[in-house]
Amino acid sequence: MVHGLVNCASTHDLQELGVRLRGIALRHHDLRRLAQQFALAQRQVYLVGGIVRDILRGVDPAELFARDIDLATDAHPDVVAALLREMGWSVFEVGKRFGTVAAHVNDATYEITTFRRDVYRPHDRHPEVTFSSTIEDDLARRDFTVNSLAMSLLSGPLVDPMAGLADLERKIIRTSGDPVLRFQEDSLRLMRAARFAAQLQFQISPETSRAIRRSASGLQSVSRERIRDEFTKILVSDAPAYGLQLLVDLHLMPVIAPPVDVLKSYQDVTKQGFKNLLTHTFRVVQRTPPDLVVRLAALLHDVGKPQTFSQVNGQVHFFDHERVGARLARDLLVSLRFDGATIKDVVSLVESHMRPAADTDSWSDSAVRRFIREVGEERLPRLLLLARADITSQHAHRVAAHVKRLDRLVERCERLLEEEHTVSPRSPLDGVQIMELTGLRPGPVIGEIKAYLLDEVLEERLAPDDQDRAVELLWSYLREKGIPVAQVEQAAQPRSK
């Protein structure tokens, strides 16, 4: 891994930094070819933005060059496309009207944009693009100073017109130019400031923070899909709790996720004292792995508490908060346009999150099997991760006791699952036998009956080979559910073995 160049003694020597950065970049075969092609055409070409920032921070170049790579050039888009095609690269011109031509090569995407100035109309995030002849003009239009850095692949110093290197050294997020104007141009930048702060673990400058608070209402005009994407990046960052707290402090959370913002006004009175719900929630999120489903569930696991707050004999309660929370979680995730599978998994985890906190040592093996079935084997690992993160008592002995109890539950789940996978449980009656007995036609009801009989086997109330008892249970189930069948009542008579 390259040591962070931003901390070198020569950080103020932009010429030396340009030489060192170029040496790193041109070790990469495709970038070296690209530089040679533009040099032959007597065109400028620069690495720009986040990739320059991250090389300076010491991120492994192999990691950086395997993802999207942003470049800027003085060549117009038609010329860029022609140069790339001469190299044999497949060219995409979807962003050509904004000056961008892209190519996908060896699992990396190269986006090359002509130097430009942007003019924004009110309430329109799509700018009127005017091409420019200088890299300095291009960098001045960008969002934050640490992203307004450029390095020529051909020659010259590191280009830093917005003093981004100094902010990188001080670990500061600051807008390039007037912060209010930058946020008016595109209100998503309000969230991007918090996202970069979380990803880089930087501070946001005071003037930028003030401008975000003043402009926070502008986030309402941003599409929920774009908000979702930035929110996701904060959640799966290394410092999600910090990023989430910034969204609250900068007055953005009420627009993004109102049920989360409400938590800041509520305290959970426990045996250990007062626990602010928002502080607790962010702590739980921070304690989970960077799995989007788990972190969303951690963020939303207690959102039902404000609506279920009650006091009985001086004791605070949140009865049924997991069910209310599941409904609120579903509504929020739908509004943020998350996909159906993610919504289903998160809602299930929110609804189930209190179950592993019960007195699980008193559960029989049948009760543990039922728990696994009802949660779903595929969701169980995530639920147990959430349960572990939710153990946040300030008393070490209480934490240790809860962790040991949860460890015992995990061990029992693993043992019972291994047993079930070794000897697959089965119902005494299969689908064909059920249809012969009842006259029912193939359809969902047959699956429901089979699931019911299998459940009886798993609960050890029915032996896998006891067909007589299975027939009795079958007819009892049909009568209870009011399912009409073609056969007469004598069909319910016990069968001989």
Side-chain angles (χ1 to χ4, degrees), residues 200-378:
L200 304 175
Q201 298 183 45
F202 284 12
Q203 300 292 316
I204 300 177
S205 74
E207 67 272 19
T208 299
S209 295
R210 287 193 293 269
I212 293 174
R213 293 188 184 97
R214 285 176 55 191
S215 308
S217 62
L219 193 61
Q220 295 174 347
S221 66
V222 178
S223 75
R224 297 297 278 177
E225 290 87 351
R226 297 181 77 214
I227 289 174
R228 174 202 62 209
D229 291 346
E230 289 297 320
F231 197 47
T232 294
K233 290 173 184 176
I234 292 172
L235 278 173
V236 299
S237 71
D238 290 338
Y242 172 52
L244 292 167
Q245 188 63 56
L246 280 174
L247 295 179
V248 174
D249 295 342
L250 296 171
H251 305 166
L252 300 175
M253 192 66 85
V255 180
I256 301 164
V260 175
D261 192 68
V262 168
L263 294 175
K264 66 189 179 187
S265 302
Y266 284 82
Q267 305 282 348
D268 186 357
V269 184
T270 68
K271 294 179 181 178
Q272 294 82 47
F274 290 89
K275 178 174 66 179
N276 179 268
L277 290 181
L278 190 70
T279 302
H280 164 74
T281 293
F282 290 172
R283 187 178 177 192
V284 174
V285 173
Q286 188 65 54
R287 288 163 53 87
T288 57
D291 175 305
L292 178 60
V293 168
V294 177
R295 287 203 168 162
L296 281 169
L299 179 68
L300 302 175
H301 77 285
D302 275 350
V303 293
K305 282 189 171 180
Q307 289 192 17
T308 57
F309 175 89
S310 65
Q311 284 186 301
V312 179
N313 298 326
Q315 297 293 314
V316 172
H317 298 280
F318 302 99
F319 294 120
D320 212 19
H321 78 273
E322 57 271 36
R323 182 186 61 80
V324 174
R327 175 177 55 78
L328 292 171
R330 181 185 300 279
D331 291 345
L332 175 62
L333 297 177
V334 168
S335 80
L336 287 169
R337 310 293 193 268
F338 278 95
D339 64 275
T342 297
I343 293 172
K344 186 175 182 180
D345 285 343
V346 172
V347 169
S348 176
L349 293 179
V350 171
E351 194 164 26
S352 304
H353 80 271
M354 292 298 292
R355 299 188 66 180
D359 180 17
T360 53
D361 283 340
S362 67
W363 289 1
S364 65
D365 281 358
S366 294
V368 176
R369 289 192 187 96
R370 183 169 61 251
F371 164 70
I372 295 171
R373 289 198 309 280
E374 291 173 354
V375 170
E377 184 178 342
E378 71 286 353

Side-chain angles (χ1 to χ4, degrees), residues 8 64 80 90 93 95 102 113 121-122 171 235 237 276-278 282 284 302 317 354 393 420 426 455 464:
C8 294
L64 295 175
V80 174
S90 298
E93 301 185 14
T113 302
R121 295 184 299 273
K171 299 186 176 182
L235 278 173
S237 71
N276 179 268
L277 290 181
L278 190 70
F282 290 172
V284 174
D302 275 350
H317 298 280
M354 292 298 292
S393 171
E420 288 192 7
R426 58 180 179 82
D455 190 67

